[in-house]
Amino acid sequence: MMTNAIEIVTPDLCDAHPEVAVLDPLFANFGGLEAFYGPIRTIKCFEDNSMVKQAVAEPGNGAVLVVDAGGSHRCAMLGDMLAEQAVANGWAGVVMYGCVRDVDILAALPIGVQALGSHPRKSEKRGEGQRDIDVTFAGVTLKPGQWLYADNNGIIVAEHELPLS
């Protein structure tokens, strides 16, 4: 299982690995871990977080859950209960191309969470969405199995795990 004991500095990783992809600077940190990394697992859904709920209930094994929520600013796709479940199941972080809520609680949890913003309204629960597919947002296509590194400087994606020494 991955740990975040080693400091992640995305500018240093970009300098050492110019081939990495860099997501457009759209995201803000909401989680208790400001830096996180891990292999990517994906969900594509719109204003329905059923698949997010399903994923965080499964073992994360240090992975980062990347959610293409269509960039919606009309509801939250992750809140305190799902984030707490993600922590309990070993997820390293969540990158939400959409909104989150319960931000004061998210900030106290030992998990990385980056999202477009916060919204107090919960999402629908219709069981819609897709998992483990390529998703494209913020100028980058993210694929299951790639590695994501995030900190206050931004989010980068590599084809394989990068050395952090």
Side-chain angles (χ1 to χ4, degrees), residues 41-52:
R41 299 196 13 214
T42 64
I43 294 175
K44 184 176 179 82
C45 52
F46 186 73
E47 297 180 359
D48 176 347
N49 75 346
S50 302
M51 295 282 175
V52 176

Side-chain angles (χ1 to χ4, degrees), residues 36-42 60 62-66 91-95 112 148-149:
F36 59 98
Y37 68 99
I40 292 173
R41 299 196 13 214
T42 64
V64 176
L65 185 61
V66 174
W91 290 87
V94 178
V95 173
L148 183 142
Y149 300 81

